[in-house]
Amino acid sequence: MTFAELLEQVGSMGRFQSIHVTLLVLPILLMASHNILQNFTAATPGHHCHIAIVANYTCDDNFTDLLYCQELLKISIPVDGNQQPEKCLRFISAQWQLLDPNATTTNGTEMDTEPCMDGWIYDKSVFTSTIITEWDLVCGSRTLKQMAQSIYMAGVLVGVIVFGNLSDKFGRKSLLIWSCLQMAITGSCAAFSSNFAMYCVFRFLTGMALSGINLNCVSLSVEWAPTKLRAAIGMVTGYSYSIGQFILAGLAYVIPDWRWLQLAVSVPYFIFFFYGWWFTESARWLATAGKLNQALKELQKVAQINGRKEEGDKLSVEDLRASLQKEMSAAKSTHTAADLVRTPSVRRVSWCLCFVWFSTSFAYYGLAMDLQNFGVSIYLIQVVYGAVDIPAKLIGFFMISFIGRRVTQASALILAGLAILANIFVPQDLQTLRTLLAVFGKGCLAASFNCAFLYTGELYPTVIRQTGMGFVNTLARVGGIVAPLVQMTSEYLPSLPLIIYGAAPVVSGIATCFLPETRNMPLPDTIEDIERQRRSRVITDVGREDKVLLKASRLEPLKEII
C-alpha cells in the first residue's frame, strides 16, 4: 500500500481536508497585504517646504484653500516645470514682486533658493498619515522609502532559509504556529515604531514570519491532499493571494492612517495563532522524523473527522512504515545543493530557472510597488492589479494543461517584458494606455509565477526537488529585494527603471526556451533519470534528422528529372 492509498483509506478529500485547506488559506489572504503594504503606508503625498520666511503668517495643512495663504505660497515657494510648487526648495527671502499680476512666472533657478530648513507641509486629502509624513522621507531622504521595502524583502529571504530548515527539523505545524505569532507581534510593533530604524527592524522580522507562514501553509495543504487534487489546491492558494490584494485596497481606503492600517493587517494573525493548534501535523514529515506512533494517531484523527473511524482503527505502525518507505529513505539521502550544478542537464535547468524566478519576482514587485506613478486613484489601480490575476492565472492554467509548460513560461515572460518596455514610448499624459500596459504586464507575471511553481517541481528530480525549490525561491526573494532599489535609477534617467524591469523578463523568456518540456512526462526521481531523459531526447532528435535526410535523398532523382 502506497501513502496515496493509505490516505484514500482514511479519506483523501473529505470533511477534514475541506476544513484544513480553508483554515490554511485564511493566513495567505493577508500575505498580499504585507507584501505590498507600503503602497499605502509609504505613499508619498503632495508636499512642499514649510513656510517660515514671512513673519506673522500662519497657515494650517490645508492653507491653499485660503486666498491669503495662496499668495503666501506664491511668494515663498518656487514652481517647477509643471507650474506646481517645488517639493524640495523655497525662496530664501519673500518674493513680493510675484504678487503683481503682470509679473512673469519664474522657477527656482532664477532666484535665490534653499532646501527645506523647517520641514514640509503635506497634502492630507488622501492619506492622513504615512511613514513618509511621519519621518519626512522626502527630498534628500526619499530613497529610504525603497530601502524600507528592500529590508522587508530581505527578511522574506532570510525567512525562507531559516524557517525552511527549521520546518524540516521541528515540523510544519509548530513552525506555522510560531510564524503566525511572530507575524502578529512584529507587525503590531511596527505600527508603534517611534523611529524609522525601529520600523525597519520590525518589518524585517515580519518578512521572516511571512516566509514561515507561506512555506508551511503550502506544505500542510499539499501533504494532506491526494495527488489528483494538488493542482486544484494550488489554484485555490494562488487565488487567495489575489483576493488578498482586494482586501488590502478596501482596508487602505477605509483606514487612511498608516499605523492603524499596519495594525489591521497584523492583529488577525493572533487569531490564526490560536486556531493553529488545531492543525494536524503532516504524517509524511512525522514518518521521516521517525515518529510513526504519532503519525498513526494523526491518520486516525483524520479518519474520524472524515467519518471513517473503523478504517482508521485498522491501521498499524507496520502499515505506515511500509507505505512511507520512499519518504523515509529520501530523508536519509545525502544529496546537497552541489547536486544542482553537478551534472550537465541539472546544471542547465538550474541556470535557466535562476533567470526565470529572479526576473519574475523582480519585475512583479517592480510593477506592484509603483502604483503612484500612474496618475489614477491608487485604490482603483490596486483593485485592477488584483483583478487581472484571476483571468491571467486561469488562462495560464489552460495553456499549461493543453499547450505545455515551456511555451507558457516563455510567452508569459516575454509578453510581460514587452508590455513594460512599451510604456517607455507612451507619453505621460496617456495615463489610461500606460495603466493598461502595466496591468497586462502584471497579469503575465502572475501567470508566470503560477507556471514556475509547477514547472520547477517537474524539472527537478525527487531527491533534490526541495533543495531546488529552495534555491529558486531564494533567487525570487533576491529579485524582490533588488526591485525597489531600481526605482532609484530614475534620478539619472526617468525611463531607466522601465528599461531594466522590461529587459529582465525578455531575457528570461529566451532562457526558458533552453528548458525541456515536461507536459505528460513522468516525474524524475533521481539525477540519473534527468540525464537519461536528456539522452533520449537527443536520440529522438537525431532520429528525426535522419528521417528528414532520408526523405531528401529519395527526392534527389526527382529533382534531376525535373
Side-chain angles (χ1 to χ4, degrees):
M1 184 184 296
T2 64
F3 181 76
E5 293 170 334
L6 194 68
L7 187 61
E8 194 72 35
Q9 181 175 333
V10 299
S12 60
M13 200 59 197
R15 187 185 301 114
F16 165 79
Q17 280 81 7
S18 300
I19 298 173
H20 199 61
V21 171
T22 301
L23 294 179
L24 286 169
V25 159
L26 292 177
I28 297 176
L29 281 173
L30 290 181
M31 279 175 51
S33 298
H34 284 275
N35 274 341
I36 53 180
L37 183 63
Q38 281 198 192
N39 275 333
F40 302 97
T41 59
T44 304
H47 58 275
H48 57 74
C49 295
H50 181 75
I51 299 173
I53 60 176
V54 179
N56 301 323
Y57 276 84
T58 58
C59 295
D60 60 17
D61 293 344
N62 296 318
F63 70 90
T64 52
D65 294 334
L66 305 174
L67 180 60
Y68 77 91
C69 284
Q70 290 177 345
E71 294 177 346
L72 178 59
L73 180 65
K74 188 173 184 179
I75 66 173
S76 305
I77 307 294
V79 295
D80 58 19
N82 297 321
Q83 300 304 306
Q84 297 297 318
E86 281 281 359
K87 297 178 178 179
C88 303
L89 295 173
R90 69 180 184 181
F91 292 126
I92 295 177
S93 58
Q95 304 297 315
W96 297 101
Q97 73 276 12
L98 295 179
L99 295 178
D100 183 356
N102 297 321
T104 57
T105 303
T106 184
N107 56 40
T109 61
E110 298 175 2
M111 296 182 182
D112 292 334
T113 59
E114 64 181 0
C116 302
M117 308 298 293
D118 302 297
W120 289 261
I121 292 177
Y122 298 94
D123 178 9
K124 296 185 178 180
S125 60
V126 179
F127 300 99
T128 59
S129 175
T130 69
I131 66 169
I132 306 299
T133 64
E134 184 87 14
W135 296 303
D136 289 330
L137 305 183
V138 293
C139 299
S141 301
R142 62 185 175 274
T143 56
L144 293 179
K145 171 183 175 178
Q146 283 78 25
M147 187 65 69
Q149 179 66 14
S150 291
I151 289 172
Y152 167 79
M153 295 304 298
V156 176
L157 170 60
V158 173
V160 168
I161 299 170
V162 173
F163 287 117
N165 292 328
L166 290 178
S167 64
D168 286 337
K169 185 176 182 180
F170 297 106
R172 284 81 162 104
K173 176 182 175 179
S174 57
L175 264 296
L176 176 58
I177 292 172
W178 170 262
S179 298
C180 287
L181 180 61
Q182 180 175 324
M183 174 73 85
I185 293 175
T186 58
S188 299
C189 287
F192 294 101
S193 299
S194 58
N195 55 65
F196 180 68
M198 184 185 296
Y199 170 81
C200 288
V201 169
F202 286 123
R203 283 284 285 168
F204 178 87
L205 294 174
T206 301
M208 285 186 64
L210 181 134
S211 288
I213 293 170
N214 184 36
L215 288 171
N216 292 291
C217 279
V218 172
S219 294
L220 279 177
S221 60
V222 167
E223 290 175 358
W224 277 114
T227 304
K228 60 184 179 181
L229 290 177
R230 286 180 183 173
I233 289 176
M235 286 290 291
V236 170
T237 303
Y239 276 128
S240 66
Y241 185 88
S242 299
I243 294 172
Q245 298 181 60
F246 297 128
I247 295 174
L248 175 61
L251 287 173
Y253 183 79
V254 174
I255 310 173
D257 185 280
W258 80 269
R259 292 185 185 273
W260 287 106
L261 180 58
Q262 179 77 41
L263 276 175
V265 299
S266 301
V267 170
Y269 282 93
F270 281 112
I271 301 173
F272 305 147
F273 164 73
F274 286 118
Y275 79 58
W277 295 96
W278 179 87
F279 288 135
T280 301
E281 182 58 88
S282 168
R284 290 176 184 268
W285 176 82
L286 289 170
T288 58
K291 301 178 181 180
L292 291 176
N293 289 325
Q294 188 176 345
L296 179 61
K297 290 180 181 178
E298 299 290 15
L299 282 167
Q300 290 173 340
K301 173 185 172 182
V302 171
Q304 184 175 3
I305 296 174
N306 283 337
R308 296 191 177 186
K309 188 176 184 303
E310 292 182 0
E311 287 82 352
D313 292 337
K314 294 177 183 178
L315 295 176
S316 65
V317 173
E318 288 71 24
D319 294 332
L320 204 57
R321 183 179 288 108
S323 301
L324 295 172
Q325 279 183 351
K326 185 176 181 180
E327 285 80 359
M328 294 172 70
S329 61
K332 297 177 182 177
S333 63
T334 57
H335 291 282
T336 64
D339 290 310
L340 297 177
V341 293
R342 185 165 58 85
T343 62
S345 296
V346 178
R347 183 164 54 246
R348 182 174 63 178
V349 167
S350 296
W351 278 114
C352 292
L353 288 177
C354 280
F355 286 101
V356 170
W357 280 84
F358 174 86
S359 62
T360 301
S361 177
F362 172 71
Y364 184 92
Y365 285 107
L367 287 178
M369 297 303 299
D370 194 31
L371 302 189
Q372 281 193 291
N373 286 341
F374 291 104
V376 297
S377 169
I378 189 172
Y379 305 106
L380 176 61
I381 191 66
Q382 180 62 66
V383 171
V384 173
Y385 261 23
V388 73
D389 282 10
I390 296 175
K393 290 177 180 179
L394 187 61
I395 292 171
F397 175 76
F398 284 115
M399 288 186 65
I400 288 169
S401 302
F402 298 105
I403 299 178
R405 280 64 160 153
R406 180 170 56 186
V407 173
T408 304
Q409 189 74 72
S411 58
L413 285 167
I414 293 174
L415 287 174
L418 293 177
I420 297 171
L421 292 172
N423 254 339
I424 299 173
F425 307 100
V426 179
Q428 290 288 339
D429 55 340
L430 297 178
Q431 292 294 344
T432 302
L433 180 57
R434 292 179 61 83
T435 302
L436 288 175
L437 286 171
V439 167
F440 177 77
K442 201 257 186 182
C444 290
L445 292 170
S448 176
F449 257 130
N450 258 26
C451 183
F453 273 103
L454 176 63
Y455 200 14
T456 302
E458 293 177 339
L459 285 169
Y460 281 121
T462 302
V463 293
I464 57 170
R465 185 167 293 129
Q466 287 299 98
T467 304
M469 289 296 292
F471 171 67
V472 295
N473 265 282
T474 300
L475 268 296
R477 302 312 171 191
V478 172
I481 294 171
V482 176
L485 302 179
V486 171
Q487 292 288 347
M488 300 179 189
T489 62
S490 62
E491 302 289 328
Y492 308 101
L493 180 67
S495 60
L496 189 55
L498 289 178
I499 295 174
I500 299 173
Y501 289 139
V506 172
V507 172
S508 299
I510 296 172
T512 303
C513 298
F514 295 94
L515 289 170
E517 179 56 64
T518 59
R519 177 172 170 261
N520 295 331
M521 296 288 290
L523 284 178
D525 288 320
T526 64
I527 295 175
E528 289 70 24
D529 288 344
I530 296 289
E531 296 301 324
R532 195 178 301 114
Q533 288 177 0
R534 181 184 66 86
R535 287 193 294 269
S536 67
R537 284 193 295 270
V538 171
I539 293 172
T540 301
D541 291 340
V542 171
R544 288 173 181 170
E545 291 178 3
D546 290 342
K547 288 180 180 180
V548 171
L549 292 174
L550 179 61
K551 289 180 180 179
S553 64
R554 289 174 177 174
L555 291 174
E556 285 300 325
L558 293 177
K559 290 181 180 179
E560 293 178 1
I561 294 173
I562 294 173

